[in-house]
Amino acid sequence: MRILSIETSCDETAISIIEAHGTYPDTAIIVEADILVSQASLHAAYGGVFPNLARREHAKNLPVLLRQALEKAGYATTRNPHVIPPTLRAQISTILHREPELFDPLVHLVEAFDVPPIDAIAVTFGPGLEPALWVGINVARALACAWGDIDAPLPLVPIDHMEGHLLIALLKKDGASSQHHLATTSFPILSLLVSGGHTEFVLSDTLLSHTLLGETRDDAAGEAFDKVARMMELPYPGGPEIARRALQGKPNATFVLPRPMVDSKDLDVSFSGLKTAVLYKLRDLPPLSEENKNDLCYEFQEAVVDVLVKKTLRAVKQHGAKTVTLGGGVSANTRLREALARALDEETPGVALVVPDPSYSTDNALMIALAAYLRLEAHLVPTHEPLVAAGNVRIGPKVRQ
Ligand code: KG4
Ligand code: ZN
């Protein structure tokens, strides 16, 4: 089965094409294209993601990325270029009524090439920034229509962004080729999902059945990194910058920070108090030298990592998890990976840790294609009312409870 996926939930525009077959754990995946453009440098001026700018950039990037993805996968062929019938053109125009500027480039692109051998279109339907999400959703709907038959568009698979982050941890490359497989795991899996918008502890009894055990009560871990970086006048995104500086930092008695909720019995976390503690340090101390900034970054990262690692261990013990996975942008953090690996080794030997390739920690479209394949293969495609209500969408069976 071949899937084209689109991800536009935040400030990364991404498209991938995979060819996959087999039932987990015997799943084989060929990554035919995996293309991404980051808007981070544009949003840096605002110190965070500006939703309408993200929407505009996604709309500008998507036709360009789509062409690159088709070329990369070898589907930019012109033996029998597709002609979209007038009725379908009219439907596509209706679908794109919020993005009229996309009609011409998309139709032009689709009609430049043969119909690609794509079986389904996957798209992130949330969570994310609403204006940004809709561009991806509507382009996915338009493509499903353009490449489908008059009364049977290609199946459209709405994917939860966090499930994408969760599942991509299992994707492993076979050597240097585009061939991939999924790591074999024991269930239940405990996932720590740490992104710019979410911090969640999720228990999965199967690859596709998840229970939320705990989450942040205020800021997400990535958001805390970004806000603290902004307070320190460091560039956006703050996570990688703080991590870089922390490498040069050291323990410093002036910058000791709290570990909020680290001993609470539940599986929730909170980072706003930690952020405020940094704010008070910056307010009460004279302007920091570069060396002091590095020390503050070091301590802030230690505080976040401490809390996340201790809560993950608590979740593993409480729920008898046999595997731990990491996902989301903050899971690129090397210190978090090391500290979690060490703590699991010492306190819960036998529990496996599976981490994503660092390049798949942050947002990408491959994770959306992977989740879509696993859901299609298991006949567990979620319904999503706004997509269905928007019409012209074929959706699979409802998620089994
Ligand atoms: O998953 P993601 O790419 O986008 C969302 O779904 O939000 O996560 C982005 C977040 C940002 O807050 C960024 O600062 C953080 O992940 N991040 C990191 C690192 N790389 C990205 N945080 C800490 N250490 C890193 N190395
Ligand atoms: Zn994300």
Side-chain angles (χ1 to χ4, degrees):
M1 184 190 307
R2 193 169 277 107
I3 299 172
L4 181 142
S5 63
I6 299 180
E7 155 65 45
T8 62
S9 66
C10 193
D11 59 349
E12 252 93 45
T13 321
I15 295 190
S16 84
I17 302 176
I18 65 165
E19 202 274 304
H21 56 269
T23 303
Y24 182 75
D26 299 316
T27 319
I29 296 137
I30 296 170
V31 179
E32 298 187 327
D34 183 29
I35 315 244
L36 182 145
V37 176
S38 174
Q39 308 168 6
S41 59
L42 290 175
H43 295 283
Y46 303 92
V49 183
F50 193 57
N52 278 324
L53 176 61
R55 191 212 87 92
R56 199 189 70 199
E57 288 300 306
H58 288 313
K60 204 170 84 190
N61 294 338
L62 278 169
V64 181
L65 263 61
L66 183 61
R67 173 182 286 272
Q68 289 172 0
L70 292 173
E71 283 169 353
K72 184 89 207 313
Y75 303 133
T77 51
T78 54
R79 273 184 296 274
N80 183 17
H82 186 39
V83 179
I84 305 175
T87 43
L88 282 186
R89 275 176 167 261
Q91 280 182 27
I92 294 169
S93 163
T94 309
I95 289 169
L96 294 174
H97 76 275
R98 293 196 209 200
E99 299 84 16
E101 74 277 23
L102 275 171
F103 180 82
D104 280 341
L106 276 183
V107 164
H108 178 77
L109 186 63
V110 166
E111 294 199 325
F113 303 124
D114 306 331
V115 177
I118 304 241
D119 302 299
I121 312 271
V123 63
T124 305
F125 75 87
L129 304 170
E130 183 146 348
L133 285 165
W134 273 112
V135 193
I137 291 170
N138 286 335
V139 168
R141 293 173 61 217
L143 288 177
C145 187
W147 285 329
D149 295 329
I150 296 259
D151 38 33
L154 291 181
L156 189 66
V157 190
I159 292 297
D160 183 293
H161 181 81
M162 299 312 287
E163 186 175 59
H165 274 310
L166 191 156
L167 293 169
I168 196 88
L170 303 180
L171 189 73
K172 303 296 164 205
K173 250 192 184 125
D174 298 335
S177 70
S178 57
Q179 182 86 41
H180 293 63
H181 68 277
L182 295 183
T184 307
T185 52
S186 305
F187 293 93
I189 299 176
L190 184 283
S191 298
L192 168 60
L193 303 180
V194 269
S195 69
H198 293 79
T199 298
E200 296 179 345
F201 298 95
V202 176
L203 192 72
S204 305
D205 292 321
T206 71
L207 277 192
L208 301 173
S209 57
H210 317 293
T211 309
L212 180 66
L213 302 177
E215 60 189 326
T216 181
R217 296 196 179 165
D218 38 60
D219 294 346
E223 188 181 0
F225 270 97
D226 294 338
K227 286 182 175 168
V228 163
R230 192 158 148 189
M231 289 180 332
M232 295 176 70
E233 296 174 355
L234 303 178
Y236 171 86
E241 179 67 17
I242 290 184
R244 216 172 2 256
R245 283 178 169 266
L247 278 177
Q248 283 143 46
K250 56 181 179 332
N252 180 330
T254 315
F255 298 119
V256 174
L257 295 170
R259 271 63 173 156
M261 292 183 69
V262 74
D263 293 318
S264 70
K265 299 273 176 286
D266 54 28
L267 295 173
D268 285 346
V269 291
S270 160
F271 292 112
S272 82
L274 177 59
K275 181 187 68 189
T276 311
V278 175
L279 185 69
Y280 289 160
K281 295 273 181 213
L282 294 171
R283 188 194 62 186
D284 298 340
L285 291 167
L288 302 187
S289 65
E290 291 303 308
E291 194 184 340
N292 279 341
K293 276 191 183 174
N294 293 346
D295 292 352
L296 182 54
C297 287
Y298 173 90
E299 172 64 6
F300 172 75
Q301 178 173 272
E302 286 303 299
V304 173
V305 167
D306 256 3
V307 172
L308 292 176
V309 168
K310 294 223 169 79
K311 287 278 163 148
T312 304
L313 281 179
R314 183 183 290 277
V316 168
K317 289 175 189 167
Q318 272 181 14
H319 293 273
K322 299 220 170 65
T323 306
V324 173
T325 71
L326 272 182
V330 182
S331 75
N333 189 282
T334 330
R335 178 70 188 129
L336 174 62
R337 289 172 175 234
E338 280 168 12
L340 188 57
R342 181 161 332 127
L344 286 170
D345 248 16
E346 285 169 3
E347 293 200 36
T348 57
V351 173
L353 174 63
V354 183
V355 295
D357 184 303
S359 61
Y360 299 148
S361 282
T362 43
D363 290 349
N364 61 83
L366 190 53
M367 67 188 198
I368 304 306
L370 174 63
Y373 172 71
L374 292 170
R375 288 208 163 267
L376 282 166
E377 206 268 331
H379 303 289
L380 289 173
V381 175
T383 56
H384 181 48
E385 294 311 324
L387 282 182
V388 179
N392 198 36
V393 173
R394 205 168 84 211
I395 291 268
K398 205 175 156 74
V399 178
R400 256 186 252 136
Q401 294 303 320

